[in-house]
Amino acid sequence: MTDIKRQRVSRFFIVWMIMLAVLASPCYVLAAPLPASLNKPVTDVNNVIKNEEEKKFANLTSNMKQTYKLVVVADSKPLTLQQYAEQILGKFTVDDKAMIMVLSVAEKNMVILSGKYFRESGITQEVLQRKMEYFFEPYANQGTLMTGVMSFVEAVEDEVRTQSQKQGSTGQVVMAGAPAPAAAEKVTSWPVWLLIGLVLVAAGLGGAAFAYTKRARVLKEIDEVDEWRIKVADQLNAFEIAPTWKKEPGRVKEKYLAILTALDDLKKDAIADVELILVDAEENLMKFRFKRGQEIIQEAKDKLFRIEEEYRNLHIRLDKLRETLKDVASFKEEADQLHQKNERRLDELRIQYGVSFHTLKEQMNQFDRESQAVKQSEEKGDFEEARNRLQELVERQQALMELLQKVPLVRQTIVKDLDQEIRQLDEDAKEMVEGGYTSGEEFFAARLVKIRGKAEKLPLLFEEGKVTDAENLILEIREDIEAVYQTMEEIVTNRHQYRQYVNELPYYLNILKQDEEYLSGELSDLSQRYQVEDGEAFYYYQQIPEVAADIENTLEQISASESGENYDRHGETLTQVTERVTQMMERRDLVMKELKEFRQGERMAREEVHDLRGSVARVEQQLKRLHLPKLPYGITSNIQLSRQAIGTVEEALQEIPLKMQKVDHLLKEAKEQVATLLEDGARMIRDIRMTEDKIQRTNRFRRYDKEIAAFLQTAETAFREAEYEEAHEAADQAFRLAQEKYDLEEE
């Protein structure tokens, strides 16, 4: 015992540790969403209920005085269904006369949220639980949840109606007052036997009260099951079949009679059995055998559930039988009509073309054999097999009709179209031979013989009525014809390429020789001047003699041949040489690009040197046009330095091997020197022109304004000394003084 207790304690500890670990783990579970509103009779949160079932529930509850609403959720986890229902109750307000049923499809269970009116009418949670056990759970266990919900709603509505009637017919009940207890006598002590008696009496009264309450509860359960029995009996009595079935053939009658017999069995045996079971349950309750009574009641519930299930199966059998018989009649009529049309059409074709078409006739005769098989199935009562056979027969007749419609087109193709196509192919093949595209007629003769051999089989297939085989053979012949034409096209294309290659090869040979002559000097200069001895240009130059020799040999072989158009003999060699020449021409583009890149740096440097010399020459020309008395030392020095820098760059460009890094450095210095010259020259020319202008405009004030005359004299002296910046400053001072004194306007 001690070991067992230890094991239990150990297991309990392990379970608690696992639960704590799960709760502590960082996993986040999304709870089922709450409904946005409860405006509709059915609120399907996860869209798991069919539209037809929602409509049935809405129609059922629309005429009831109380409001019944259903909330359906696929699964309420991680919350329990009760917790999920409490969240709905916290979010929405339940009206006094409203009942909200929260249904979990995964758990097959419901939680009921009822208003104040239901509780005042005696519909307590205990009553609702009992109604669920009787009217909801049997259907839920079988998977028909919505049927169970509607059955539960009907039972609650009946209970509400019954309680309302009882409250309306019963007046106030006046409870008789208990007699006043006699004055207690003064007792000093109680005898033991009296105390024991009182305890026994109290226990007996308590047991009697419990038995009475239990008995009343089970009797009420029996009444509810009996109401269910009456409801099922009404459903069975309402089941009817139109009397026209009595006029149907014997095997059809048997099907209907089997359904009616099964219905009678349910009415006579099943309902009577349930009634006897309930009587037996009441007898056990009278003897206070509550457990046995509840077992018997459960047996009655199971019996009623099976009866309802069989009742639904009867409806299914009846609908299926009616649909099958309807399909049999429809397919039979359609098959007969198609058969008649096909017979007439086949007779017309046989007369029109004077052939037997015995294969098509055999397909027509197959209809009679299939029809006989259908009759045998109907005689056996196997109407589903008859329907399947008739459906297949209709499909065959439709296919046969489509085949008969193709017969004229197949006939025209065999007699006219295909014969013309073969004759045209023969003429085109002869034209190819006459044009010298092949070495003889044998090239096409074998293919034409094979095609004509296949075409000769077509009339026999047509006479036998093998239209499908004839169509397939026609398709095969046309594919062979297309293959021959494709071969002709390839031959013509190859001959055209042959002539083009022969005409183009001399031109390419000339280009290669010119490139060889040009590259011999260019690559020698590159190897010396740029120290380059590898690259695409060198590889191209090395390949030129070999490719040129191949071209010359091929052209000599073609010219020495008896026929220059002898492609069969020289075609492969010519193609190979041409492909190699094409590759050389593609490489030639890369070579020329590479050569340009080699010369690009030197060419750009020479262009920039030329531009720099032009800039220096322009400065000198502008200074000469000014006819200055002399030039400042700074300008003449800049001109000299610029020319020396440019000359240094030119000398570097003439060096072998050429060092472009040195050239770039010297070119950069020359650019900076010339830029300085241009800036100083532009500033000096600007000072000169402005000085001359201001002296001319203020010269008239020299005679009567000594201060202006002094500034002008200073400016002229500085100008003669080639101090043009100082001259401009003195002339500017004279000009500004004239503006202040004499309002001289500034241009």
Side-chain angles (χ1 to χ4, degrees):
M1 291 295 293
T2 304
D3 294 337
I4 294 174
K5 290 181 178 179
R6 288 179 179 175
Q7 292 177 0
R8 291 178 180 175
V9 172
S10 177
R11 292 174 183 172
F12 180 77
F13 179 75
I14 292 172
V15 170
W16 271 105
M17 290 299 292
I18 293 174
M19 291 176 63
L20 289 174
V22 172
L23 291 174
S25 62
C27 60
Y28 304 94
V29 182
L30 295 176
L34 292 175
S37 65
L38 298 178
N39 297 331
K40 299 188 295 183
V42 178
T43 303
D44 191 356
V45 178
N46 302 113
N47 296 324
V48 294
I49 301 300
K50 297 180 180 178
N51 293 333
E52 294 79 4
E53 294 176 337
E54 292 184 10
K55 292 179 181 178
K56 289 182 181 178
F57 182 86
N59 295 334
L60 175 66
T61 58
S62 60
N63 298 325
M64 295 181 178
K65 295 182 179 180
Q66 287 68 241
T67 303
Y68 296 91
K69 294 187 178 181
L70 177 64
V71 178
V72 183
V73 64
D75 195 350
S76 62
K77 290 181 179 180
L79 302 177
T80 63
L81 186 58
Q82 182 66 36
Q83 292 173 341
Y84 183 77
E86 290 174 357
Q87 289 189 0
I88 294 177
L89 186 60
K91 183 177 180 180
F92 302 99
T93 302
V94 181
D95 297 337
D96 292 343
K97 299 186 70 174
M99 177 179 288
I100 300 175
M101 294 161 285
V102 184
L103 172 64
S104 173
V105 176
E107 299 179 16
K108 297 182 180 179
N109 191 17
M110 280 198 308
V111 172
I112 310 302
L113 305 174
S114 58
K116 179 180 173 183
Y117 173 79
F118 289 91
R119 293 191 295 274
E120 292 176 351
S121 300
I123 310 300
T124 62
Q125 287 295 328
E126 184 179 355
V127 174
L128 294 173
Q129 186 63 32
R130 190 167 59 252
K131 296 290 184 184
M132 285 180 58
E133 292 177 0
Y134 300 155
F135 297 97
F136 172 72
E137 291 181 0
Y139 292 99
N141 294 333
Q142 298 296 325
T144 55
L145 294 175
M146 288 301 294
T147 305
V149 171
M150 290 186 282
S151 178
F152 169 78
V153 171
E154 290 177 347
V156 172
E157 184 69 13
D158 293 341
E159 184 70 20
V160 172
R161 194 180 302 113
T162 301
Q163 293 293 336
S164 299
Q165 292 175 356
K166 288 181 181 180
Q167 291 178 2
S169 61
T170 304
Q172 291 183 348
V173 178
V174 180
M175 300 298 294
E185 296 181 358
K186 188 176 181 181
V187 180
T188 57
S189 63
W190 293 86
V192 176
W193 61 269
L194 181 58
L195 293 175
I196 296 173
L198 290 174
V199 172
L200 293 175
V201 170
L205 291 175
F210 174 77
Y212 178 78
T213 304
K214 183 70 173 179
R215 180 174 173 276
R217 187 185 304 163
V218 179
L219 284 175
K220 190 171 184 179
E221 187 175 350
I222 291 175
D223 293 339
E224 291 174 349
V225 176
D226 192 50
E227 291 176 4
W228 187 6
R229 179 189 63 81
I230 294 172
K231 178 182 175 182
V232 173
D234 293 340
Q235 290 178 346
L236 294 176
N237 292 328
F239 187 91
E240 294 181 356
I241 300 178
T244 54
W245 67 270
K246 298 178 181 180
K247 299 179 182 180
E248 297 288 342
R251 289 296 182 182
V252 179
K253 281 185 180 181
E254 289 180 2
K255 297 289 183 180
Y256 282 108
L257 284 173
I259 295 174
L260 292 174
T261 302
L263 179 63
D264 292 338
D265 292 340
L266 289 177
K267 289 180 180 179
K268 295 176 182 179
D269 300 332
I271 299 300
D273 289 346
V274 174
E275 192 171 2
L276 292 175
I277 291 171
L278 293 178
V279 172
D280 189 14
E282 290 181 358
E283 290 178 356
N284 280 275
L285 288 179
M286 298 304 294
K287 298 176 182 180
F288 297 99
R289 298 176 180 173
F290 299 117
K291 184 176 181 181
R292 176 58 182 163
Q294 287 182 334
E295 291 176 354
I296 295 174
I297 292 173
Q298 186 61 42
E299 182 182 352
K301 291 179 182 179
D302 296 340
K303 190 78 172 178
L304 286 172
F305 182 80
R306 287 195 296 271
I307 292 172
E308 286 191 336
E309 191 68 27
E310 292 180 7
Y311 171 75
R312 286 192 292 271
N313 291 335
L314 286 179
H315 269 292
I316 294 172
R317 285 174 58 188
L318 180 61
D319 294 340
K320 187 175 181 180
L321 178 61
R322 289 173 177 170
E323 184 179 356
T324 302
L325 293 175
K326 182 179 178 181
D327 291 343
V328 168
S330 175
F331 285 142
K332 188 180 294 184
E333 181 180 359
E334 185 178 0
D336 290 337
Q337 292 177 357
L338 290 173
H339 180 63
Q340 293 176 5
K341 292 180 181 179
N342 288 338
E343 279 188 332
R344 289 196 299 269
R345 182 57 179 165
L346 181 60
D347 291 339
E348 292 173 359
L349 293 174
R350 295 173 70 182
I351 295 172
Q352 180 179 357
Y353 298 113
V355 293
S356 62
F357 289 143
H358 67 270
T359 302
L360 296 176
K361 184 61 177 177
E362 179 62 25
Q363 294 183 21
M364 296 294 298
N365 295 335
Q366 183 67 20
F367 176 81
D368 297 331
R369 292 190 287 271
E370 291 290 339
S371 299
Q372 188 63 31
V374 172
K375 290 180 180 179
Q376 292 176 0
S377 299
E378 289 179 330
E379 291 174 357
K380 294 178 182 178
D382 193 351
F383 296 105
E384 291 185 4
E385 182 181 355
R387 180 186 61 184
N388 295 335
R389 287 181 176 273
L390 284 170
Q391 185 177 5
E392 184 179 356
L393 187 58
V394 168
E395 293 174 356
R396 290 182 180 178
Q397 291 295 318
Q398 290 174 346
L400 181 59
M401 177 176 288
E402 294 175 358
L403 195 62
L404 292 174
Q405 292 174 353
K406 295 179 182 178
V407 169
L409 180 61
V410 173
R411 174 69 176 180
Q412 180 181 356
T413 302
I414 294 173
V415 175
K416 183 178 179 182
D417 298 343
L418 197 61
D419 184 62
Q420 291 179 355
E421 292 174 9
I422 294 174
R423 279 191 273 111
Q424 183 64 43
L425 177 63
D426 191 9
E427 293 176 1
D428 294 339
K430 291 178 180 178
E431 184 177 351
M432 290 281 292
V433 173
E434 293 174 358
Y437 287 96
T438 61
S439 57
E441 297 182 358
E442 296 81 5
F443 185 81
F444 295 106
R447 295 190 178 188
L448 289 172
V449 169
K450 183 179 179 181
I451 292 173
R452 287 195 178 97
K454 291 181 179 180
E456 291 174 355
K457 299 178 182 178
L458 289 173
L460 181 60
L461 293 175
F462 183 80
E463 291 177 3
E464 294 177 354
K466 298 179 180 179
V467 180
T468 303
D469 295 341
E471 283 183 323
N472 295 333
L473 186 56
I474 290 172
L475 180 62
E476 184 179 346
I477 292 172
R478 283 178 168 166
E479 289 177 353
D480 293 342
I481 293 174
E482 182 63 26
V484 175
Y485 275 114
Q486 187 173 359
T487 302
M488 291 180 179
E489 185 177 355
E490 291 176 357
I491 292 173
V492 172
T493 303
N494 292 335
R495 297 304 185 273
H496 175 72
Q497 290 180 349
Y498 177 84
R499 298 191 186 97
Q500 183 179 359
Y501 292 161
V502 171
N503 294 331
E504 290 178 352
L505 281 180
Y507 169 75
Y508 289 131
L509 180 61
N510 186 32
I511 290 178
L512 290 175
K513 289 183 176 181
Q514 291 177 0
D515 289 346
E516 184 179 16
E517 182 179 355
Y518 166 72
L519 290 176
S520 62
E522 182 70 11
L523 295 180
S524 176
D525 183 57
L526 288 175
S527 62
Q528 294 178 7
R529 188 167 180 76
Y530 293 95
Q531 299 293 306
V532 177
E533 296 181 355
D534 191 11
E536 193 69 28
F538 288 91
Y539 180 75
Y540 174 75
Y541 178 70
Q542 294 171 0
Q543 294 292 321
I544 289 177
E546 183 179 351
V547 176
D550 290 342
I551 295 174
E552 291 174 348
N553 293 335
T554 304
L555 293 176
E556 289 177 0
Q557 291 177 7
I558 294 174
S559 61
S561 178
E562 297 178 357
S563 174
E565 296 292 332
N566 194 355
Y567 179 80
D568 294 337
R569 182 175 179 183
H570 305 293
E572 184 176 356
T573 303
L574 186 62
T575 302
Q576 293 176 355
V577 172
T578 304
E579 290 177 355
R580 191 169 183 183
V581 169
T582 303
Q583 294 175 359
M584 288 291 290
M585 292 300 104
E586 293 175 355
R587 183 175 291 119
R588 183 176 186 273
D589 296 335
L590 297 176
V591 167
M592 297 307 167
K593 182 178 179 182
E594 187 179 78
L595 292 176
K596 288 181 181 179
E597 291 175 355
F598 277 131
R599 299 289 187 180
Q600 185 175 2
E602 180 183 359
R603 185 177 66 256
M604 292 178 64
R606 291 186 181 278
E607 291 176 357
E608 290 181 352
V609 167
H610 181 269
D611 293 340
L612 292 176
R613 283 196 175 278
S615 298
V616 174
R618 283 195 300 274
V619 171
E620 291 179 337
Q621 187 68 24
Q622 290 176 356
L623 293 176
K624 288 180 181 179
R625 290 176 183 174
L626 293 175
H627 302 289
L628 299 173
K630 63 179 179 178
L631 293 175
Y633 174 76
I635 291 295
T636 57
S637 177
N638 281 343
I639 293 174
Q640 185 65 26
L641 291 175
S642 297
R643 289 188 177 278
Q644 290 178 358
I646 294 172
T648 304
V649 176
E650 291 176 339
E651 291 176 359
L653 287 172
Q654 298 298 327
E655 292 180 357
I656 297 176
L658 180 63
K659 299 177 181 179
M660 285 304 300
Q661 187 175 5
K662 177 180 178 181
V663 171
D664 293 338
H665 176 71
L666 295 174
L667 183 61
K668 181 179 179 182
E669 293 180 349
K671 288 180 180 178
E672 293 175 354
Q673 186 63 45
V674 172
T676 302
L677 172 63
L678 294 175
E679 183 179 354
D680 294 345
R683 184 170 58 253
M684 188 187 75
I685 293 171
R686 183 179 67 251
D687 291 341
I688 291 171
R689 289 177 177 175
M690 293 179 68
T691 300
E692 291 176 345
D693 178 69
K694 290 178 180 179
I695 290 174
Q696 290 177 3
R697 296 183 65 188
T698 56
N699 195 36
R700 58 184 174 175
F701 303 108
R702 181 194 295 265
R703 289 174 298 174
Y704 49 83
D705 194 322
K706 295 181 179 181
E707 189 176 2
I708 293 176
F711 283 125
L712 292 177
Q713 183 63 36
T714 303
E716 291 172 352
T717 302
F719 192 88
R720 285 191 294 271
E721 296 297 330
E723 300 292 340
Y724 301 113
E725 186 175 358
E726 296 177 2
H728 174 254
E729 292 177 357
D732 184 66
Q733 290 178 354
F735 181 78
R736 292 184 182 277
L737 188 61
Q739 283 182 323
E740 294 176 0
K741 291 182 177 182
Y742 307 107
D743 296 330
L744 182 63
E745 295 182 358
E746 183 177 0
E747 294 183 0

